[in-house]
Amino acid sequence: MALPPAAQKAGLLSEAKAFRGMVVQKAAPNDVAKSARTLAAHLLTAYPVPLAPGKTPDLARGKALYAQNCAGCHGLSGDGHGPDAVKLNPVPVAFADVSRARERSPFALYQVIGQGLGGTAMRSFSELPSQDRWNLAFYIGRFAFPDAGQGEQLWKSDAALRSQIPNLAALAGMTPASLGRQIGPDKADAVLGYLRAHPEAVSEATTGSLTVAHEKLQASLAAYVAGDREAAKKLALSAYLDGFEPVEPALAARDATLMGRIETEMGNLRAAIGRGEPVSAVKDRMAVLDGLFSDAEEVLSPDAASTASTFLGAFTILLREGVEALLIVVAMIAFLRKADRGEMVRHVHVGWVAALAAGALTWAVATFFIGISGASRELTEGFGSLFAAVVLLSVGIWMHGKSQAGEWQRYINETLGKALSRSSAWFLFGLAFIVVYREVFETILFYAALTAQGSGAVILAGAISAVVVLALIAWAMLRFSAQLPVGEFFKYSSWLIAVLAVVLAGKGVSALQEAGIIDIAPLAHMPRIPVLGLFPTWQSIAPTSRDEPVPSVLSTVPEGSSVTRLRIAQMDCPTEEALIRKKLGTMGEVDGLEFNLMQRVLTVVHRTGAVPEVQAAIRDLGMDAELFEPVGNEKPHEEATKPWWPYAAGGFAALVAEIIQWSDLPEWTVALVALIAVAICGLDTYRKGWIALRHGNLNINALMSIAVTGALLIRQWPEAAMVMVLFAIAELIEAKSLDRARNAIRSLVQLAPDHATVRQPDGSWVDRPAASVRIGDVVRIKPGQSIALDGTVKSGRSTINQSAITGESMPVEKAPGDQVFAGTLNEA
């Protein structure tokens, strides 16, 4: 085959002629090998061909291809001793031979796989797709270099080494021998052994690369099209955690708005998959994300970086993350000074200094030993935020109780010294450590991303500037707080801590949603304001809220599915709905859900015969589900008949606990009475809270249980008791109000007749049960008759008595196009 025209063609032909002469003259093997490699390099320079796979090689696919096509000759372990090897001459190559493998790149293997090897039994496998040949080449290339931990450590700790292998093209064309001449043979063997076994490490190391995210999204779409909704949801989560999360800190520093849009759209995609939206809708969502990923890659490209953007990124990141921790730490220090316990301030200082040291250790471990996965990051942020929020909520309750100067002075004189001398030192240390380490952990990830892209001096200048601003804020806060009266100080402090607790709770829920621990229910038209802990999902702004409205499940019942209505007596509000939706939504037997909270009825679209499994799942949530068949003239549901005396007894005990707190009685007496109040009124809340936590749902019962427990742990006995009692009473009032509303609606419905006169296709009129009338049917209402169904007047004019529904004393005239209501009377 003649070479096409090129400027280097003459030189290449001359070089090839010289190489052929060396072969004919049987020159030294090393000289021949060196000449061959040089000729190959020059040839590829003159006539470039694709030198790298289009996407990250899949070694699992490569392993399967090797077992199917290669193991018979080369052996399963690549030692050249396969079952068919004895029949071959020359014998098959031993891929595990280190000396030969050091001169071999994945690209060379790729070529041989596609072209075959003349004079041997090695045939061409050109029928394999290009990506499969790459999968096979990378799998074969790892035989001689076991995946040792040393290679991973070297790769993650040496930035200069990562710059030498910036992408898959560099990895595909590199031999251990060429790399060994720069860093040493042993290190080269270890590093390339690790990278050939884990080529995704190169994709992840490439700044701004979202290749993994693109690939995971396509795999998620394929699983969704195939009907495997659970696998599609997991792959979509992986696209975020493994594909987008590694570059999120860098993107947040460059374009926080774009980062927020991507996070929101990723959440919307997972929610759409969970709801079972049509394939076309899911494809549209993925197309939007692909476009956003492309925008992110442009923003993250080295050309987009500037000194100003790097400085501002370093400055704003540290300032933003530092302010939250600073507010809490300064509030603790100011409180101790107000209490005249300056000797305890050192425990706060030790806490935040230890958090900084732990952050430095985290950075070292993440840089030199292991990588911090996206899931680990989100879980650390999520649980850390929620724990800090619970502690702050408990402290806020305590501070609010001490906002009166007289109560504060009594507390100082009688209990503060004992409390601080026993266990508060550890409490102060722990709270300071948690709130600071959470922010340090986040800041480390952002700065690691910036360091890989920008000048170290510029980043240092931004960080120092932020530290100066934070120091000024701390000085101003301490100075201002020292001038406040005790009552004012605690009033403002309790409000500040309450706001911070809400912010941390919102951030914690959002982080756990991104980690896949909590489901996502997007909230339309809600702004995303991370600094306030506000995110556009129902769970992050109100854990008791329900999912966004979805179309009726009865309008799209899949073939082979059935519809069953279940009455759930314990389903009163969106709290229970969220639990049931999360539990049943993960069941493959369930195709759709529709809730009617007023009737306590759940409509389930399910695979035929799956009713027992659905009922068992609901029982696991502490609720009972019985088959529901609507009956005309159904009797009103009895209102909640819980006895009143437990609430009276609990309230009395909580009040006694408050009185004892003001007396000189021992602390154990107030603790005992408060625990009695919590036990009387709070056991049901604790039971519901435990069920919610066990199923990964942070509803109001779970949060209340955690808050009351936190108050008890810091020995705020009366506050814990009173909060639990008031919550239990509020729950009872809500249940009674819902029962009365249900019965009122039933009473109105019973005013409507059970039958209606419906026009038939032939124009005749037939009396039929009202429940069988379909949308679009025409119903005749004679004067003096009650209207059986809601509808719109099609023809005729009349006056309608609507007093039973609207309370109007006078009849209302109705004409074509006007709406009429079931239970009203046609008078004229």
Side-chain angles (χ1 to χ4, degrees):
M1 180 182 295
L3 292 175
Q8 302 94 330
K9 179 178 179 179
L12 285 171
L13 290 175
S14 176
E15 194 174 346
K17 184 177 180 180
F19 173 71
R20 185 173 182 179
M22 292 178 66
V23 174
V24 171
Q25 296 172 10
K26 299 184 179 179
N30 289 340
D31 293 340
V32 174
K34 182 178 180 181
S35 178
R37 289 193 294 272
T38 303
L39 177 59
H42 291 169
L43 184 63
L44 288 173
T45 302
Y47 300 98
V49 295
L51 296 180
K55 61 181 182 180
T56 305
D58 182 353
L59 266 69
R61 173 65 176 162
K63 181 179 181 180
L65 290 169
Y66 182 84
Q68 179 181 353
N69 299 293
C70 311
C73 298
H74 297 278
L76 281 173
S77 61
D79 57 6
H81 298 304
D84 299 330
V86 295
K87 308 173 188 176
L88 303 177
N89 184 21
V91 296
V93 171
F95 297 127
D97 183 349
V98 176
S99 61
R100 296 187 63 178
R102 281 179 175 153
E103 304 292 342
R104 190 186 298 129
S105 68
F107 176 67
L109 290 167
Y110 172 82
Q111 284 184 306
V112 173
I113 293 169
Q115 299 171 7
L117 196 59
T120 73
M122 173 64 189
R123 72 172 183 86
S124 167
F125 287 88
S126 57
E127 73 275 9
L128 291 177
S130 176
Q131 186 61 39
D132 273 350
R133 279 178 270 159
W134 280 115
N135 297 336
L136 190 52
F138 271 81
Y139 180 75
I140 292 172
R142 48 166 285 284
F143 277 125
F145 312 107
D147 180 23
Q150 181 190 5
E152 181 179 7
Q153 183 177 341
L154 286 169
W155 174 252
K156 292 183 176 179
S157 63
D158 192 338
L161 179 61
R162 293 195 295 272
S163 67
Q164 288 182 295
I165 314 175
N167 49 42
L168 285 174
L171 176 61
M174 182 170 288
T175 65
S178 62
L179 183 61
R181 285 190 285 273
Q182 302 175 52
I183 66 173
D186 292 338
K187 289 184 177 180
D189 292 350
V191 169
L192 289 183
Y194 166 69
L195 292 179
R196 290 181 182 182
H198 299 281
E200 70 276 3
V202 175
S203 300
E204 293 169 359
T206 305
T207 301
S209 171
L210 289 167
T211 302
V212 175
H214 285 292
E215 293 175 359
K216 296 287 186 181
L217 277 185
Q218 293 307 311
S220 174
L221 179 59
Y224 195 74
V225 171
D228 192 345
R229 190 191 304 177
E230 192 62 27
K233 195 172 182 180
K234 289 180 180 178
L235 285 165
L237 176 61
S238 178
Y240 175 80
L241 294 177
D242 302 324
F244 176 70
E245 185 76 10
V247 304
E248 181 187 335
L251 183 59
R254 296 273 188 92
D255 191 336
T257 301
L258 178 58
M259 186 272 292
R261 285 188 63 198
I262 292 177
E263 283 196 341
T264 300
E265 289 300 326
M266 289 295 293
N268 291 341
L269 173 64
R270 286 164 50 199
I273 292 173
R275 289 195 302 266
E277 286 191 359
V279 172
S280 58
V282 173
K283 281 184 178 179
D284 290 342
R285 292 185 181 277
M286 290 192 178
V288 170
L289 273 170
D290 275 328
L292 292 175
F293 285 162
S294 298
D295 293 342
E297 287 175 325
E298 291 183 12
V299 171
L300 293 170
S301 66
D303 296 337
S306 67
T307 300
S309 66
T310 302
F311 176 85
L312 288 175
F315 175 79
T316 56
I317 287 166
L318 184 55
L319 184 64
R320 183 188 68 204
E321 301 298 332
V323 164
E324 279 183 19
L326 184 68
L327 290 174
I328 298 173
V329 171
V330 168
M332 294 168 64
I333 294 173
F335 151 69
L336 291 171
R337 289 180 177 176
K338 281 289 183 184
D340 197 23
R341 297 305 303 265
E343 76 278 7
M344 301 300 293
V345 172
R346 69 176 184 272
H347 297 289
V348 179
H349 290 314
V350 171
W352 69 260
V353 170
L356 294 180
L361 180 61
T362 302
W363 172 81
V365 170
T367 301
F368 297 105
F369 298 101
I370 62 172
I372 297 177
S373 68
S376 299
R377 171 187 168 183
E378 299 297 351
L379 290 174
T380 300
E381 293 176 17
F383 286 119
S385 296
L386 290 179
F387 182 80
V390 170
V391 173
L392 288 177
L393 182 60
S394 303
V395 171
I397 293 173
W398 178 82
M399 280 191 165
H400 182 71
K402 303 296 177 288
S403 58
Q404 299 299 318
E407 169 64 10
W408 170 243
Q409 290 298 330
R410 188 198 66 77
Y411 182 78
I412 286 289
N413 295 331
E414 298 182 8
T415 66
L416 183 60
K418 294 183 291 183
L420 290 179
S421 63
R422 285 199 303 267
S423 61
S424 292
W426 280 108
F427 171 77
L428 294 170
F429 168 85
L431 182 57
F433 179 87
I434 290 169
V435 297
V436 173
Y437 180 73
R438 178 200 172 279
E439 307 302 337
V440 170
F441 182 82
E442 179 81 358
T443 304
I444 284 171
L445 299 174
F446 280 98
Y447 270 73
L450 283 178
T451 303
Q453 301 176 50
S455 167
V458 175
I459 294 171
L460 182 61
I464 292 174
S465 302
V467 169
V468 171
V469 173
L470 289 172
L472 291 175
I473 294 174
W475 175 82
M477 289 180 63
L478 289 172
R479 183 178 179 86
F480 175 73
S481 64
Q483 299 173 357
L484 284 176
V486 171
E488 292 293 307
F489 169 78
F490 275 99
K491 181 173 70 175
Y492 294 142
S493 295
S494 62
W495 279 108
L496 172 63
I497 285 177
V499 170
L500 289 174
V502 172
V503 170
L504 287 173
K507 289 187 173 183
V509 171
S510 177
L512 294 181
Q513 285 179 318
E514 291 171 356
I517 301 298
I518 299 177
D519 281 346
I520 293 179
L523 182 60
H525 312 301
M526 171 62 65
R528 176 191 175 88
I529 311 176
V531 71
L532 299 179
L534 188 63
F535 299 88
T537 67
W538 282 106
Q539 293 91 338
S540 63
I541 66 166
T544 63
S545 297
R546 69 181 300 276
D547 280 0
E548 61 182 350
V550 296
S552 171
V553 298
L554 300 179
S555 61
T556 55
V557 179
E559 186 177 351
S561 296
S562 303
V563 178
T564 299
R565 304 182 75 194
L566 299 172
R567 181 181 179 86
I568 305 173
Q570 297 85 358
M571 186 173 70
D572 286 315
C573 63
T575 301
E576 288 82 19
E577 177 187 340
L579 265 177
I580 296 171
R581 189 181 293 276
K582 181 178 178 68
K583 181 74 172 180
L584 300 186
T586 60
M587 295 177 61
E589 299 89 347
V590 175
D591 296 314
L593 302 170
E594 188 169 84
F595 292 82
N596 184 334
L597 295 179
M598 290 306 297
Q599 288 187 304
R600 292 179 172 139
V601 172
L602 168 64
T603 303
V604 185
V605 179
H606 57 84
R607 308 290 167 81
T608 302
V611 173
E613 288 84 353
V614 172
Q615 290 178 305
I618 295 174
R619 280 196 299 272
D620 188 47
L621 299 175
M623 307 180 205
D624 296 318
E626 59 184 17
L627 295 177
F628 175 74
E629 294 296 337
V631 180
N633 298 323
E634 182 184 358
K635 293 182 178 180
H637 177 66
E638 294 184 2
E639 294 185 7
T641 56
K642 291 183 178 180
W644 60 268
W645 66 265
Y647 300 93
F652 179 75
L655 184 61
V656 170
E658 290 281 1
I659 295 173
I660 294 176
Q661 181 79 353
W662 286 73
S663 69
D664 296 327
L665 293 176
E667 184 181 7
W668 68 266
T669 56
V670 65
L672 177 62
V673 176
L675 289 172
I676 290 174
V678 171
I680 292 174
C681 292
L683 289 182
D684 191 50
T685 299
Y686 271 107
R687 181 185 64 82
K688 293 179 180 179
W690 168 246
I691 290 173
L693 289 174
R694 189 160 54 88
H695 291 88
N697 189 296
L698 284 173
N699 62 23
I700 188 62
N701 294 301
L703 293 175
M704 185 58 63
S705 300
I706 294 171
V708 171
T709 301
L712 292 174
L713 290 176
I714 62 173
R715 300 200 299 276
Q716 301 310 302
W717 313 109
E719 287 85 354
M722 190 61 70
V723 166
M724 184 59 82
V725 169
L726 292 176
F727 178 73
I729 293 175
E731 289 282 281
L732 179 65
I733 293 173
E734 179 187 32
K736 285 184 172 292
S737 299
L738 286 172
D739 280 336
R740 290 182 178 179
R742 291 186 185 100
N743 289 336
I745 292 173
R746 285 195 182 92
S747 298
L748 291 175
V749 171
Q750 287 175 357
L751 295 174
D754 295 335
H755 287 72
T757 305
V758 184
R759 187 172 67 187
Q760 301 302 298
D762 61 0
S764 62
W765 297 89
V766 175
D767 202 33
R768 286 170 43 189
S772 67
V773 177
R774 298 186 301 270
I775 295 176
D777 285 347
V778 177
V779 177
R780 183 176 63 190
I781 311 294
K782 294 181 178 180
Q785 283 187 333
S786 293
I787 300 175
L789 300 158
D790 292 350
T792 303
V793 177
K794 189 172 182 64
S795 64
R797 305 179 70 91
S798 183
T799 55
I800 305 296
N801 186 340
Q802 300 183 149
S803 59
I805 304 297
T806 65
E808 296 170 286
S809 59
M810 297 295 292
V812 178
E813 185 174 348
K814 297 291 183 178
D818 292 336
Q819 189 175 13
V820 294
F821 306 104
T824 56
L825 181 65
N826 181 19
E827 289 191 340

